[in-house]
Amino acid sequence: QVQLVESGGGLVQAGGSLRLACAASGRTFRTYAMGWFRQAPGKEREFVATISWSGGDTKYGDSVKGRFTISRDNAKNTVYLQMNSLKPEDTAVYYCAANLGEPDMAIASETMYDIWGQGTQVTVSS
């Protein structure tokens, strides 16, 4: 069974940066499309970023384009989310997710993901 564990969340001032990491168990991590989503209090879960298993295809939510970067290290079974120029509206619980069976493509739809992590809190103060 694949398990995902996020880390790197915390409290940061507006304009600052954080890097989230999501470590995955399982020998076939390199074949999983991975995604980051977030959920703020009282709001629905929102797509943030996704990366194909080869890393060659990425997609971003409109609210984070140009500020966030998704990457992966298949040798370490880890996907990262570099978050720069953070804003108070980025405050949310951030979740990583894995899609176990699709071709080498980035996937923005949360309904296509099979496994979810427990989430990590990101708080951006103004």
Side-chain angles (χ1 to χ4, degrees):
Q1 179 72 10
V2 175
Q3 291 187 324
L4 305 175
V5 179
E6 301 99 333
S7 61
L11 174 63
V12 64
Q13 288 189 329
S17 298
L18 281 175
R19 188 175 80 155
L20 305 183
C22 173
S25 62
R27 298 180 181 178
T28 55
F29 172 80
R30 63 181 181 278
T31 66
Y32 306 157
M34 299 294 296
W36 286 98
F37 296 80
R38 67 186 182 187
Q39 188 166 22
K43 294 187 176 181
E44 293 188 351
R45 191 154 56 190
E46 175 189 17
F47 164 69
V48 175
T50 174
I51 188 167
S52 63
W53 59 257
S54 71
D57 186 21
T58 59
K59 291 184 174 65
Y60 295 91
D62 289 341
S63 61
V64 307
K65 281 180 182 176
R67 300 188 297 124
F68 291 11
T69 302
I70 189 170
S71 62
R72 66 190 296 157
D73 184 339
N74 288 342
K76 296 182 178 180
N77 282 11
T78 302
V79 62
Y80 303 97
L81 185 69
Q82 178 67 43
M83 306 186 294
N84 298 329
S85 302
L86 283 161
K87 305 175 182 180
E89 50 264 45
D90 294 318
T91 295
V93 177
Y94 283 70
Y95 299 90
C96 72
N99 172 283
L100 306 184
E102 295 298 317
D104 186 19
M105 59 186 294
I107 299 170
S109 172
E110 68 174 274
T111 62
M112 298 295 289
Y113 284 89
D114 305 293
I115 307 293
W116 293 82
Q118 83 289 348
T120 186
Q121 176 71 45
V122 171
T123 303
V124 184
S125 63
S126 58

